[in-house]
Amino acid sequence: MELSWDKEKIGRFLRAMDCGALSELAKPKIRIFNKDKEILLYQINKFDLILNLSDNTTLKITKE
């Protein structure tokens, strides 16, 4: 996943990776500070994208 994507594209990507048949696939990853981290859970609301990552980090991104 790329943080440069617009909010709608990020939402589509995360929902696609979260669908039943695709649940066999590896978790989506994001690279932060040159380290790949798995996205374990996500929440998308009107203003924010909230990611819970594999190292117990919560990343909150506000997109306009």
Side-chain angles (χ1 to χ4, degrees), residues 2-64:
E2 296 288 331
L3 293 177
S4 61
W5 294 348
D6 64 55
K7 185 177 177 181
E8 289 77 23
K9 184 174 182 176
I10 290 172
R12 287 191 306 268
F13 174 78
L14 291 172
R15 284 190 301 276
M17 295 297 290
D18 199 19
C19 288
L22 296 177
S23 64
E24 300 286 325
L25 296 175
K27 299 270 188 200
K29 294 181 181 173
I30 187 168
R31 181 168 285 228
I32 300 176
F33 302 118
N34 291 323
K35 293 185 181 180
D36 289 334
K37 300 178 186 290
E38 287 186 333
I39 301 170
L40 302 178
L41 300 167
Y42 66 92
Q43 179 181 4
I44 300 172
N45 62 40
K46 186 175 179 180
F47 301 106
D48 304 310
L49 168 64
I50 302 167
L51 305 173
N52 292 321
L53 307 176
S54 54
D55 64 348
N56 294 322
T57 298
T58 301
L59 179 63
K60 181 177 178 182
I61 302 164
T62 301
K63 289 261 192 180
E64 295 181 13

